[in-house]
Structures are given as structure tokens and as C-alpha cells.
Amino acid sequence: RITKFPVCFRDVDECAQGSHNCTGSTASCVNAIGGYTCLCHQGFTGSGTACSDIDECATGSHNCGADQANCNNTPGGYTCKCSEGYTVRSSNGPTGDGPSGDGGCVNIDECMTGDHDCKTPGTVCQDTDGSFLCDCRHG
């Protein structure tokens, strides 16, 4: 009687050993039986052995808002900064000037905050979208 023995195969984990060729900090190594796969991290594109940054600002795949915020590409992502005259809108109301992914930017009412130069007697501050105007008082 002949007994057949299964061929035993011991997988080599190239990811754990560091013997893979995935791109440094922009890709991850995923072990597979008999090999491995390289996957680019979020915000990067490519084969995994060569990953390049996706410029979300250039492609329009950001959520900075249309006119009230500026997009700044960063490696693997982006940041949003409210344009001058706007501040970040959060769930609790305006909260300063910085990333605006949680609700976009909202106009600052410079007339209400007193951050304007309409100090000449006979002038009145009039808020506009992203700025203000100094008008003459009627009368």
C-alpha cells in the first residue's frame, strides 16, 4: 500500500521580513500565500511599488467649498483654509480659521465684531460677503 503525503508549504511572510519592494511610507505590504501585494495608501495612486500623491486640490476631489476656502495639497491629503473675511463653520457655530471639512466657511460680520475701519464720523459699516463697506450715514 502506498500512502501519499501532502506537500507541506510554509508561507514566507515578505511583509514581516521586510523583503518586499513596496514604496516606503506611501504603500502597505499585504501578505498572500506564496507572495505579497503592495497597496498605495489613501491619498496616493500607483502600483504600490511606485506611489505618487493625488493632488486633491487640482482634481477638485476636496471638500473645501467653492469661493470661501483655499485648498492646500499635502502628501496624501489636503487642508482647507478659509479665505480672508470668512471663518470655519462647525456644529457649534464659527470657530476660527483653519480646516473647513466639518461645515465649510461662513462670512465674518466685521461690522458686528468691530473689526473694521469705519471709524470716521458720519460713516457706518455695512457687511458684505467676505468683507465690509464704509458708507455715509443718511441724514
Side-chain angles (χ1 to χ4, degrees), residues 60-86:
S61 59
H62 60 82
N63 64 348
C64 290
D67 299 327
Q68 299 91 10
N70 298 309
C71 181
N72 179 41
N73 190 56
T74 61
Y78 64 93
T79 59
C80 303
K81 182 169 174 77
C82 292
S83 302
E84 188 174 344
Y86 296 90

Side-chain angles (χ1 to χ4, degrees), residues 13-71:
D13 188 342
E14 296 87 355
C15 300
Q17 287 183 344
S19 59
H20 59 82
N21 64 346
C22 301
T23 306
S25 63
T26 60
S28 295
C29 181
V30 179
N31 189 52
I33 295 178
Y36 62 94
T37 303
C38 298
L39 299 174
C40 294
H41 292 163
Q42 183 174 350
F44 293 89
T45 186
S47 64
T49 57
C51 299
S52 57
D53 179 51
I54 297 171
D55 187 342
E56 295 84 358
C57 300
T59 63
S61 59
H62 60 82
N63 64 348
C64 290
D67 299 327
Q68 299 91 10
N70 298 309
C71 181

Side-chain angles (χ1 to χ4, degrees), residues 2 4 6-7 10 17 22 24 28 36 45-46 73 75 78 81 84 88 91 96 108 110 117 123 126 133 136:
I2 298 176
K4 293 185 177 181
V7 175
R10 188 172 147 211
Q17 287 183 344
C22 301
S28 295
Y36 62 94
T45 186
N73 190 56
Y78 64 93
K81 182 169 174 77
E84 188 174 344
V88 176
S91 55
I108 297 171
E110 294 86 358
D117 58 1
T123 61
Q126 182 180 26
L133 296 172
C136 293

Side-chain angles (χ1 to χ4, degrees), residues 5 9 11 13 24 32 36 67 79 81 83 99-100 105 113 118 122 128 137:
F5 291 97
F9 175 73
D11 181 49
D13 188 342
Y36 62 94
D67 299 327
T79 59
K81 182 169 174 77
S83 302
S100 58
C105 299
T113 64
C118 302
T128 62
R137 286 197 177 140

